[in-house]
Amino acid sequence: MYEIRLHGLGGEGVVVASELLGKAAMKQGKWSHSFPFFGTDIRGAAVKAFTRIDDRPIAIKSYIYKPDTLLIFNDILLSDPDVAVGVSTSTLVLVNTELSPEVLGESELGKLGAKIIPIKATELGYQCFNRPIFNTIMLGALLKVQAVVDKDILCQVIAEEFPSKLAEANVAALEKGYQSVERMDGDETSLVS
């Protein structure tokens, strides 16, 4: 089973990103659970979402306490103790940030030994939408380093879930996120640890 925990602020598309991953997994014939947790129902409040993907039925109904991957949509949450729960040296972290790899290495997640990949998703969102929309950019970056779902199938799900112009823009944003992650020496990804 592969477990992904997403953290962000209300309005950043955390819940939608989680649902898109889950729907893409199901479309591939896998089993998935996607569900959110809202602290308060206001824009800007901390939001968590969870996605589990497996080849077999998923019986677990709890939150994800030891994620394989963390997607952090806002670097302001790096200091939130909730984000670091269950993080280990095997955890992959993608964070939307302008912070340097050195600064990220000194964060709580870095001290726990997590593999951290910085993504300038907000900047890319402005390039794609002229607004800070970046949830599909984050998903594209995730798929570059961890193929949790097939990229083409995720694009199909986006096309089914959004009106055509918005779908096209989000598919382009997903591709921009995918291309934004630098590769070094073949399959090795540039990581902060």
Side-chain angles (χ1 to χ4, degrees):
M1 180 176 331
Y2 199 82
E3 296 183 310
I4 304 164
R5 194 169 70 214
L6 302 87
H7 291 266
L9 301 178
E12 291 181 332
V14 170
V15 175
V16 171
S18 176
E19 291 172 351
L20 290 171
L21 281 174
K23 289 177 181 180
M26 288 191 311
K27 198 171 187 71
Q28 281 181 240
K30 296 181 182 278
W31 296 83
S32 71
H33 282 173
S34 296
F35 55 98
F37 172 81
F38 301 96
T40 56
D41 291 10
I42 60 170
R43 180 177 282 280
V47 174
K48 288 187 281 194
F50 309 89
T51 303
R52 286 187 174 93
I53 299 171
D54 203 347
D55 293 326
R56 297 175 294 170
I58 300 170
I60 301 170
K61 304 290 185 201
S62 68
Y63 296 151
I64 293 172
Y65 296 105
K66 293 184 178 181
D68 297 298
T69 295
L70 275 181
L71 291 181
I72 303 172
F73 282 48
N74 195 310
D75 63 8
I76 198 168
L77 296 171
L78 287 171
S79 60
D80 184 341
D82 221 18
V83 172
V85 170
V87 171
S88 70
T89 56
S90 64
T91 308
L92 174 65
V93 178
L94 283 83
V95 58
N96 173 21
T97 189
E98 297 280 332
L99 297 173
S100 71
E102 294 76 30
V103 171
L104 291 172
E106 293 300 315
S107 71
E108 185 63 28
L109 297 172
K111 291 175 183 173
L112 291 169
K115 299 172 205 81
I116 305 172
I117 301 175
I119 309 295
K120 294 182 179 180
T122 300
E123 178 183 315
L124 296 172
Y126 275 106
Q127 291 174 21
C128 294
F129 300 101
N130 293 320
R131 295 167 56 190
I133 298 172
F134 48 80
N135 58 347
T136 50
I137 291 167
M138 292 293 289
L139 292 179
L142 169 63
L143 296 185
K144 180 74 169 258
V145 296
Q146 191 67 45
V148 295
V149 296
D150 182 271
K151 186 171 74 156
D152 292 334
I153 290 178
L154 182 54
C155 290
Q156 289 174 24
V157 169
I158 290 170
E160 293 166 2
E161 294 293 315
F162 296 107
S164 63
K165 282 193 177 207
L166 190 55
E168 287 174 25
N170 275 284
V171 166
L174 182 120
E175 185 61 35
K176 194 167 244 339
Y178 187 88
Q179 297 302 328
S180 74
V181 179
E182 296 290 326
R183 289 282 193 167
M184 308 180 312
D185 302 273
D187 289 334
E188 214 176 294
T189 306
S190 177
L191 300 175
V192 178
S193 53

